[in-house]
Amino acid sequence: MDEEVVTELTISDGTLFEPKDFYPKFSWSVTPQYCMFGDGSRTLTPSEISIISEKSDFICLEKDHAWKELGYAEMGAKHEVAAFKQIKPDIKVLYYFNSAYAWPFTSYNENFTTNKIDDYPELKKFLIINEETGELEHRNNIFFFDVLNPDFRRWWVETVVSGVTFSGADGVFIDQMHGFSWLRNDKAEEVKLTMGEMMASLKEKLGADKILLGNNAARLEDVFPVIDATMFEHYSETVTNSKENLLKEWDDMLRIAKAGKISIYRFGVEVENDVSIEGLSGSEKENALEQLSKERLEYYHACYLIGAQPYAYFQYGWGWRLWKGPLVDYPELNKPLGLPKGAYKRVIENGWEFTREFENASVWVNTETKEGKVSWK
């Protein structure tokens, strides 16, 4: 790649990323971070607002944030959107909604509970019923939405748009876009197609200036064309964190960038089941996980940097709660990074060592031994 023509938006194959005007600002000056968090009990303090806004220009409020303090999660989102915008007007803040689980934290979903749902037959029709038992499908009493119901799809799109509009958010993070296809294998293809149609309808109703981010959507062929951004969640040490999958994801990140879409590379050390956390609980476990996250940062950071493209963001911690990473200081992520000097290189053909150069850092990773090194210049 000719270094003289490299810019912040140069993709690793030499082409240029074409951002939309409603995207967040992007820079390689330091590691670009995305933050996603929630505390169901309360709103953020001014100090927490400041810490998070200094880390990132791109954040999301989790599904239950501040619902106990303010009554409903959309109230929590509205409160925090205003708080972040007051000190950082250009920050992009996303609302959260789930397309599979009927989490009862918003006013829109408050009646999807075991003690209320029978009083709302019009809502009960939106849920999946076990064909053998006739009972509502659930996980820990959280019901499952039925994407194959057209009335549900219309209600869901209107509900998500209402939440985004009410909160003043810059878009929405949509979680769990599988439609529970494994519960009805004979209709799995229909579920996939219908999920794509529902996301297309949502994007249309949100408006052209709102970000639609789909979790784990990079390879959902019916969803990917209509979204603006996707997350690689890395929820399994043996599946999503495998050396084979990480290699596929670096190719995905290139494809996503060439499509002019945002990607988020999210890692959490909680999936490692490290010996340092065995038998621990409560604050002892949280403290051990924080320490583990600091010890393992270099490897996961290197995994991100090997495949990172313009508008690819890094998210790190050990969970989705406010106290599981967003408030932790990781000094390495604030070191001057600089522009990438081309694509990654595979050290040995068919091997699992990779390198990549940035203006201010040399990156090496071995995804087989799960080791990484970021050498700062």
Side-chain angles (χ1 to χ4, degrees), residues 72 109-121 143:
Y72 298 113
N109 280 10
E110 65 178 330
N111 295 317
F112 289 106
T113 60
T114 55
N115 62 334
K116 293 181 181 180
I117 192 62
D118 286 334
D119 295 330
Y120 297 90
F143 298 128

Side-chain angles (χ1 to χ4, degrees), residues 193-212:
L193 286 168
T194 304
M195 185 63 71
E197 293 171 2
M198 189 168 80
M199 293 303 146
S201 177
L202 174 60
K203 178 60 183 175
E204 179 184 2
K205 296 291 176 58
L206 278 174
D209 62 342
K210 298 294 184 183
I211 298 169
L212 175 53

Side-chain angles (χ1 to χ4, degrees), residues 4-5 33 63 68 90 103 118-119 130 141 148 167 188 198 238 245 247 264 275 307 331 341 349 367:
E4 293 182 357
V5 298
Q33 291 188 69
K63 55 182 161 285
K68 288 184 180 179
D90 292 334
W103 294 106
D118 286 334
D119 295 330
N130 185 294
N141 292 323
L148 295 181
S167 66
M198 189 168 80
T238 57
N245 190 61
L247 181 59
I264 296 162
V275 293
K341 294 186 174 182
E349 186 177 2
T367 54

